[in-house]
Amino acid sequence: MRTAIRLMAVAAGLLATQVAVAQAPAGSTGQCKDGTYSTAASKQGACRGHQGVKEWYAATAPAAAAPAAAAKPATAPAATAPAAPTPKATAPAPAAASPAPAAKSSSASKAAKTVAPGGGPGLVWLNTSSNVYHCYGGEDYGTTKAGAYMSEADAKAKGGHPDHGKPCTK
């Protein structure tokens, strides 16, 4: 008797999920907790700013997309049309290979920063708006919007303090 009740509860849950998926807009991969729908390719970050993911349909979306993809190659004109864009897709591949090492967002931001001219060993970069000084070779050395190169002693004399409390010299 208990097994039958459990089976009915599971069936009711599956039915409710199917009804929710059936009501979702075409192409949606999930529903956010605030009631909006997402078309994001992955669950991670799909409902950022919408209180998180309530239901994720992506497991069912590729199954629905697979028959549509299988139907396209069945027609000869559709199969020949994608052949032209394929060389274009291989041209950006080297560009796609370069972001792989830069998958760390901090290394990508380091490359994007413009370093002010001057500076070098023995000098620190004092961020004049925050009074924080950065050591030579550090991530923010010479890259903040307002600042100047000077000796560490001069930076301390102007009221500067080391970035993350780590002085450049010991």
Side-chain angles (χ1 to χ4, degrees):
M1 183 68 162
R2 289 183 183 177
T3 304
I5 293 173
R6 287 182 189 163
L7 287 175
M8 290 186 338
V10 169
L14 290 174
L15 181 61
T17 302
Q18 289 176 349
V19 169
V21 172
Q23 294 174 353
S28 64
T29 55
Q31 182 180 16
C32 302
K33 289 182 180 177
D34 67 353
T36 60
Y37 291 91
S38 173
T39 58
S42 69
K43 185 176 179 180
Q44 183 176 5
C47 292
R48 183 172 295 144
H50 297 274
Q51 304 170 354
V53 176
K54 179 179 178 182
E55 294 286 332
W56 189 248
Y57 312 132
T60 58
K72 287 183 182 179
T75 59
T80 57
T86 304
K88 290 179 185 177
T90 56
S98 61
K104 298 177 186 175
S105 60
S106 63
S107 64
S109 63
K110 286 180 193 176
K113 292 183 179 182
T114 303
V115 178
L123 296 177
V124 298
W125 173 261
L126 177 65
N127 181 340
T128 54
S129 63
S130 66
N131 255 5
V132 173
Y133 66 85
H134 304 276
C135 303
Y136 175 73
E139 181 178 347
D140 293 321
Y141 185 76
T143 61
T144 59
K145 290 181 182 179
Y149 293 109
M150 62 186 70
S151 69
E152 187 171 3
D154 289 342
K156 287 180 181 178
K158 291 188 178 202
H161 55 279
D163 182 33
H164 293 96
K166 298 178 183 176
C168 301
T169 58
K170 293 183 181 184

